[in-house]
Amino acid sequence: VKIGESTNLSLIRNGETFDAGEKGKTLYMLLKDGLQEADIVADSKLTFEFAKEYIPNSYIKMVYFDGERVHDVGIYGFNYDYTEKELDIKITPDKSYYRPGDKVKLDIEVKDKNGNPCEAEVNISAVDEAFFSIWDQYVYTLSDIYSYVFGTGIQSEYYSYKNNQQFNGGAECGEGGDEGEPRYDFKDNAFFGTVKTNSSGKGTIEFSVPDNLTSWRITYQAVTEDLKAGNGRENINVKLPFFISLIFNDVYLAQDEPGISIRAFGTEVKQGAEIKYRVVLEGPDGLQKEYDLKGTAGSFSNLVLESLIPGSYSISVYAESGNLKDAIKKDFKVVESILETARTDYFDLNNDTDI
C-alpha cells in the first residue's frame, strides 16, 4: 500500500459481505507494536487510509458485536509499497579500463523515481570479483530499510465463549606492465567510502586500484534524509597487454626446496612467443640471488630454489617479450615448523598488568 492509498475493509460471513444491522457495532484497533488508535463504528465497513506513520507495516484488528455476542473477526496486515521511494543511481567511470595503480574517478548522479535530483549519502565499495565466485553478495538497500518488522503487540487475548459463526475481514485496495617497479600491492578490497551528492544530485569519488589484474565489482548504495534509497553495481576492469602469473606459496619449511611456476600471457603477445624471465630472491642478512629463465607465452617455466634458513624473504619476477614487460613481487616466510599448539596462561589483573 502506498502512502495516501485507501483500503476498504468489510465484514464477511460465510463468504459474503455482512450487513451489521441496527444493533451491530464494530470495534477496530490499529496496531503497530501495540495499540495506536481504536474506534467503534456502527457499520460493518471501514475505509482505512495508509499514512506515513504506519510505515513499514501496520495491522487492523476488528471485533464485531451483534447486540448479544462478540465475534473475533481477525487481523488484516498492511505492508508499505516502498517502490515509490526507489532512487535511480548512475555511476560513470572515467575510463573504459585501468592499469594497476591507476586512479579511478567515478561520477555519481542520483535521482528519485520522478527524475528529480536528490541529495544523498552514497556508499561505494570496490571488491575483487573473484571473491564473489566463492561467496556472492546480495544488496537490497530499499527493502532492508522497509522490511516488515513490526508485530501487532498483542500479548494475549481471551473470549468467554466460542462462537459458531465464521466471520473474517476482507480488503479491497483503492487509489601490461612496466619492469621498473614490480606489482606488489594485491588486495581483495580496493576501496570503501562515502560521498554526499549536491543539490543537483551529483558527486564524485576517487580511489587508486591495487595491482590485481581483475574485474572490480563496484557496489553502490544511496540513502536520502527522507529515506529514499537504492543500490546497484558496476564493474571496472584492470588489465595489462602483457602480464605474469605466479604460483608460489606464502610459507615454506626450512628443509623445503621452494618451487616457483611462472607463466606469461597477454593480448599483445602471441601464443608460443619467447619469454625471458629474471628472478630475484632477497632474504635475511642481505641475501640476494638472481636466476635467469627462458620460456614461451602460455606455458609454465619452473624454478626450484635451494633450502633456505628460517626468516622473511621476497621473490621478484621480471618478464619481457620484445618490448612488452611486466614484473611481480611476493613476500614469503621460511619456518622451522608449521605445527601450532594452544597455550593458556593465568595471571592476576592489577594496575600494573601489561597485556
Side-chain angles (χ1 to χ4, degrees):
V1 183
K2 292 184 171 65
I3 295 174
E5 278 190 347
S6 296
T7 300
N8 298 319
L9 298 173
S10 302
L11 293 183
I12 297 175
R13 181 174 63 183
N14 299 325
E16 296 182 359
T17 302
F18 176 71
D19 187 0
E22 294 183 2
K23 295 183 179 180
K25 303 284 185 182
T26 303
L27 166 67
Y28 81 86
M29 294 169 280
L30 178 64
L31 305 168
K32 180 182 175 183
D33 267 6
L35 183 63
Q36 303 298 309
E37 60 182 83
D39 198 5
I40 297 175
V41 295
D43 198 348
S44 60
K45 297 181 180 180
L46 173 70
T47 298
F48 171 74
E49 184 176 305
F50 194 83
K52 65 179 181 180
E53 292 80 12
Y54 308 148
I55 294 174
N57 67 306
S58 299
Y59 306 85
I60 285 186
K61 179 174 177 61
M62 301 178 71
V63 178
Y64 171 66
F65 178 63
D66 64 7
E68 295 181 2
R69 295 188 176 189
V70 174
H71 307 271
D72 180 13
V73 178
I75 295 177
Y76 184 80
F78 297 86
N79 297 327
Y80 176 50
D81 180 0
Y82 49 76
T83 56
E84 62 183 358
K85 290 280 190 176
E86 188 170 8
L87 292 176
D88 178 24
I89 309 164
K90 184 178 180 181
I91 302 291
T92 306
D94 62 329
K95 296 180 182 178
S96 58
Y97 73 92
Y98 298 87
R99 296 171 68 91
D102 276 358
K103 180 173 286 187
V104 177
K105 179 182 176 184
L106 300 177
D107 291 327
I108 304 164
E109 187 173 14
V110 180
K111 297 180 180 180
D112 66 16
K113 196 167 185 178
N114 297 319
N116 301 310
C118 295
E119 293 185 27
E121 295 283 345
V122 183
N123 173 255
I124 300 284
S125 68
V127 178
D128 189 344
E129 185 67 47
F131 178 85
F132 297 112
S133 65
I134 302 172
W135 190 271
D136 210 345
Q137 179 187 44
Y138 301 96
V139 180
Y140 306 104
T141 309
L142 190 62
S143 62
D144 286 345
I145 291 175
Y146 294 104
S147 294
Y148 311 131
V149 296
F150 289 100
T152 63
I154 296 176
Q155 301 299 313
S156 65
E157 52 188 335
Y158 170 76
Y159 294 88
S160 59
Y161 65 93
K162 182 176 180 180
N163 68 76
N164 294 321
Q165 297 189 70
Q166 184 178 5
F167 288 84
N168 53 25
E172 177 187 351
C173 293
E175 319 281 325
D178 182 350
E179 199 193 65
E181 289 295 329
R183 293 187 287 116
Y184 181 72
D185 181 24
F186 300 100
K187 298 177 180 178
D188 291 329
N189 186 358
F191 180 77
F192 187 90
T194 301
V195 63
K196 186 171 184 178
T197 56
N198 57 25
S199 58
S200 299
K202 296 182 178 181
T204 300
I205 204 162
E206 295 182 355
F207 62 92
S208 295
V209 290
D211 288 332
N212 310 51
L213 302 179
T214 188
S215 178
W216 293 98
R217 182 188 293 189
I218 309 297
T219 303
Y220 50 88
Q221 307 176 72
V223 180
T224 64
E225 285 191 6
D226 60 350
L227 295 185
K228 293 184 180 74
N231 62 268
R233 72 189 196 193
E234 181 88 17
N235 280 66
I236 59 172
N237 297 320
V238 176
K239 59 184 182 179
L240 290 171
F242 174 75
F243 62 92
I244 303 169
S245 173
L246 180 65
I247 300 176
F248 194 67
N249 285 343
D250 296 323
V251 179
Y252 290 91
L253 294 174
Q255 61 268 31
D256 287 343
E257 294 181 350
I260 308 169
S261 293
I262 314 164
R263 279 196 297 181
F265 302 90
T267 56
E268 295 187 14
V269 62
K270 294 181 179 180
Q271 186 78 9
E274 184 181 81
I275 310 294
K276 294 180 181 179
Y277 299 106
R278 180 167 60 93
V279 180
V280 179
L281 171 68
E282 296 177 283
D285 303 323
L287 171 68
Q288 182 167 331
K289 290 186 176 182
E290 293 192 12
Y291 307 85
D292 292 319
L293 295 171
K294 288 186 178 180
T296 56
S299 299
F300 281 110
S301 295
N302 301 304
L303 172 67
V304 178
L305 304 177
E306 64 273 16
S307 296
L308 301 170
I309 63 172
S312 296
Y313 294 81
S314 70
I315 196 83
S316 299
V317 180
Y318 300 84
E320 63 176 81
S321 179
N323 61 349
L324 300 172
K325 298 179 180 180
D326 188 28
I328 192 169
K329 181 178 180 181
K330 186 174 182 179
D331 293 331
F332 69 100
K333 290 183 178 181
V334 176
V335 296
E336 291 285 2
S337 173
I338 57 173
L339 293 177
E340 296 182 355
T341 183
R343 174 178 172 178
T344 304
D345 291 332
Y346 297 90
F347 50 89
D348 295 328
L349 294 177
N350 55 53
N351 292 335
D352 297 326
T353 301
D354 185 16
I355 300 178

